[in-house]
Amino acid sequence: MTVQLNHTIVAAHDKHASARFLADILGLGVGPQYGPFIPVEVPNGVTLDYIDTPGPITPQHYAFLVSEDDFDTIFARVRAAGLTYWADPFHRRVGEINHNDGGRGTYFDDPNGHNLEILTRPYGSGS
């Protein structure tokens, strides 16, 4: 059996701005609108399909596995944007990155409160 994640829907107050935020931080493109969705495709073919949602948004967590070089580039964009970042998903270690499994990782929020993460090693993969 082959199972692959194809897409997920991301709630946003402004789907265009939210898709652009993610694409700009990660260095990706924003696809053309498809129905009510604005897609951001990551290199493994998965899309995050942004949709406008009225009212409160329940924050979700989206983690992106990146290379060491890409981490440096993306982290520089996070800092240049003046975003607060944390070493942990509970937002207790502000202004830090983690070194879990011998890699690096950090968390930051998008404009809708979604908890975004970049990491260089999958959890449980190293020392």
Side-chain angles (χ1 to χ4, degrees):
M1 176 192 313
T2 300
V3 178
Q4 296 179 353
L5 180 64
N6 177 263
H7 69 276
T8 190
I9 297 172
V10 182
H13 290 298
D14 180 335
K15 64 186 176 187
H16 295 279
S18 296
R20 173 58 44 211
F21 171 85
L22 180 69
D24 287 349
I25 289 289
L26 296 181
L28 302 172
V30 175
Q33 184 161 334
Y34 178 77
F37 306 108
I38 302 294
V40 175
E41 185 174 347
V42 294
N44 66 346
V46 174
T47 61
L48 286 85
D49 296 337
Y50 284 84
I51 190 167
D52 284 332
T53 304
I57 292 176
T58 301
Q60 301 296 314
H61 174 72
Y62 301 97
F64 301 92
L65 183 63
V66 300
S67 71
E68 289 288 341
D69 288 340
D70 288 338
F71 183 94
D72 291 334
T73 302
I74 295 166
F75 187 54
R77 290 186 193 118
V78 167
R79 294 180 64 185
L83 299 174
T84 302
Y85 58 92
W86 300 268
D88 65 298
F90 304 107
H91 294 179
R92 295 184 185 132
R93 295 174 48 203
V94 67
E96 298 180 38
I97 65 170
N98 67 57
H99 296 279
N100 298 339
D101 292 296
R104 294 182 292 162
T106 196
Y107 299 79
F108 54 97
D109 289 343
D110 86 343
N112 300 287
H114 295 302
N115 192 15
L116 305 180
E117 176 185 8
I118 54 171
L119 67 159
T120 61
R121 296 284 302 265
Y123 292 119
S125 68
S127 56

